[in-house]
Amino acid sequence: MRKDIKDFVRYSIGLCMFLTLLYACKPKTDDAEPDSQKVRSVFLQNIGQNYITPKFEALKTYTSTMVQASDSLKQTVNLKHLIALQTAYDQAYMKYLELDAFRFGAFKDPAFNLSLHDYVATMPCSTAFIESKIKNHIFNTGDYHFSTRGFAALDYLLYDHGGIQDSVLNRLSKSDRMIYLHKNCMYIDSIVGLFHSNWKSSAANFASDASLSPNSTLNQLFNSFLMSYEIAMDNKVKIPAGLDASNVGVSAPEKVEAYFAGNSKVYLRQHVASLYKVWKGETGSNTSIGFDDLILTQVKDSILVKTVFQSFDKVLTSIDALPQERLDVLIVNNNTVVQNVYNNMVELNKHLKTETASVLGLSLTYNSNDGD
């Protein structure tokens, strides 16, 4: 073969190899976005179908059971019926906490811009206002005094801070108080029923917008998730323990969650653990796509994923490590251990709100007053 032809062939082969290598090294921007979009859609489908739907159905079942138990207690005020209602309340509230991360879409009343949380889980309750309403035979579901009804009001009406069941029975033997309790149970069940219906009619569209725009389902879920976490961090730990920057050292142990029943630590753990499940997309199904998978798909940041996992575990471990005393008692007698829980929660919050939002390209659309 002639030398010039050989040189041309070598040149052609070399050029082809160079172009092939160049193409292989080029970032596949066109392919990366569809893959991320697909994972985001699967994540929302998993959360909607395998997490929200079964838990919402279970919550409605528990609130209905709660109404039935209150019917029995209203007919006959005795210890058996009181314990049955206390148990039903506890089961319903524990199930509600699994859904607290959702405060948008079907979980929000567009007419008043209020969420299911606002209607049934505002805390702490206003004991003085509740007593005033009972005295004046008022149970008004049309006002905005949510601190007079919902789960926090049940905690006050169903329990004695000293754990004396006879004291609760004596108070409930008065018809006005029993009527107020019964109406509150029916109110919770009715509100949960309305929002459950909203969910059932809109569930099919939950995963329809998995984009990163501020009003997308994904971005709203992320913001709602963060709001729920900061409520747990601030209202259930920081403020009661006197760790608020605007009021440092002034504790308010009576403002802990479930102050009268004494279940504050149990409910705090349930709240955080439920958010952890949402983060991981842990639904009990074969599909387990969570926020961690979004991070790995979009930016392959395994370090951040590991950090968030460790931080969640650290918060839960610190809650589990709290002494046996009630949380309100610990705030008074051993505040340092409560501060440790709060410090761990603050650390996790930074990983979630700042770092996760940044790597996923999500935007914060709510007003956070935590100083981060």
Side-chain angles (χ1 to χ4, degrees):
M1 184 181 294
R2 288 167 43 188
K3 183 178 184 301
D4 57 338
I5 295 177
K6 290 182 178 179
D7 290 341
F8 176 78
V9 171
R10 291 193 186 99
Y11 171 80
S12 299
I13 293 173
L15 179 62
C16 289
M17 292 176 65
F18 172 77
L19 292 175
T20 299
L21 181 62
L22 180 65
Y23 179 79
C25 295
K26 180 182 179 182
K28 298 183 179 181
T29 54
D30 293 338
D31 293 337
E33 178 57 27
D35 288 343
S36 298
Q37 178 82 16
K38 182 178 180 180
V39 173
R40 294 197 297 264
S41 295
V42 173
F43 166 57
L44 292 177
Q45 290 170 9
N46 179 43
I47 290 296
Q49 296 173 7
N50 303 319
Y51 188 91
I52 296 177
T53 293
K55 292 186 185 302
F56 222 150
E57 291 174 352
L59 173 60
K60 183 62 181 71
T61 297
Y62 283 132
T63 58
S64 296
T65 300
M66 198 169 67
V67 171
Q68 295 171 5
S70 71
D71 287 338
S72 298
L73 182 61
K74 184 181 178 184
Q75 292 175 7
T76 307
V77 179
N78 60 28
L79 183 59
K80 176 184 176 181
H81 291 155
L82 174 61
I83 292 175
L85 181 51
Q86 290 171 335
T87 301
Y89 149 75
D90 178 69
Q91 292 173 332
Y93 190 55
M94 287 284 280
K95 187 57 61 175
Y96 164 77
L97 289 171
E98 293 185 309
L99 291 168
D100 191 84
F102 307 95
R103 304 179 181 209
F104 68 100
F107 289 82
K108 200 157 192 177
D109 178 358
F112 302 100
N113 197 34
L114 296 168
S115 66
L116 176 60
H117 166 84
D118 296 317
Y119 282 109
V120 303
T122 295
M123 59 158 285
C125 69
S126 175
T127 59
F129 206 170
I130 289 175
E131 291 298 338
S132 175
K133 283 194 167 189
I134 292 174
K135 181 180 179 179
N136 292 288
H137 315 288
I138 298 172
F139 188 87
N140 182 9
T141 59
D143 64 29
Y144 286 91
H145 300 300
F146 299 115
S147 62
T148 63
R149 52 188 184 270
F151 286 113
L154 280 185
D155 172 61
Y156 172 61
L157 295 168
L158 284 175
Y159 294 91
D160 176 77
H161 185 261
I164 303 174
Q165 296 283 56
D166 284 343
S167 296
V168 180
L169 291 171
N170 289 336
R171 290 194 290 268
L172 290 176
S173 63
K174 299 177 181 179
S175 61
D176 292 345
R177 195 177 196 82
M178 186 66 242
I179 290 172
Y180 193 93
L181 169 64
H182 185 250
K183 286 184 176 180
N184 189 43
C185 290
M186 291 192 296
Y187 162 80
I188 294 173
D189 183 55
S190 175
I191 293 295
V192 168
L194 287 173
F195 279 91
H196 184 218
S197 295
N198 290 343
W199 168 252
K200 288 192 293 184
S201 63
S202 63
N205 298 320
F206 184 72
S208 60
D209 188 355
S211 70
L212 300 178
S213 65
N215 293 322
S216 70
T217 301
L218 180 66
N219 200 71
Q220 290 186 75
L221 170 57
F222 182 68
N223 277 268
S224 180
F225 174 90
L226 290 178
M227 287 173 62
S228 178
Y229 181 76
E230 290 190 352
I231 287 276
M233 179 177 67
D234 295 344
N235 292 17
K236 300 182 180 185
V237 183
K238 179 174 74 173
I239 294 175
L243 304 174
D244 191 350
S246 63
N247 210 15
V248 176
V250 181
S251 63
E254 72 282 358
K255 290 185 178 181
V256 297
E257 183 177 25
Y259 172 73
F260 297 94
N263 293 331
S264 310
K265 292 186 294 185
V266 173
Y267 293 154
L268 175 62
R269 193 191 196 287
Q270 174 76 344
H271 194 154
V272 176
S274 297
L275 291 171
Y276 196 8
K277 288 182 179 180
V278 173
W279 169 265
K280 295 184 291 186
E282 186 177 306
T283 60
S285 68
N286 293 327
T287 304
S288 182
I289 301 293
F291 279 110
D292 55 323
D293 297 284
L294 304 190
I295 295 173
L296 292 174
T297 301
Q298 289 190 202
V299 295
K300 296 179 173 56
D301 192 342
S302 59
I303 295 178
L304 176 57
V305 169
K306 182 179 180 180
T307 299
V308 173
F309 280 174
Q310 291 176 336
S311 196
F312 257 117
D313 289 337
K314 193 173 180 181
V315 171
L316 293 173
T317 299
S318 63
I319 295 173
D320 292 338
L322 288 172
Q324 291 298 314
E325 290 88 352
R326 297 162 54 113
L327 186 59
D328 55 293
V329 174
L330 288 174
I331 288 172
V332 175
N333 298 331
N334 195 0
N335 198 271
T336 301
V337 295
V338 181
Q339 290 182 39
N340 182 54
V341 172
Y342 176 68
N343 292 337
N344 290 333
M345 295 186 79
V346 170
E347 178 184 341
L348 173 57
N349 191 44
K350 291 178 181 178
H351 296 315
L352 294 173
K353 189 170 72 173
T354 304
E355 297 167 27
T356 299
S358 177
V359 300
L360 290 181
L362 297 170
S363 54
L364 299 182
T365 57
Y366 71 102
N367 181 27
S368 172
N369 296 315
D370 65 355
D372 292 344

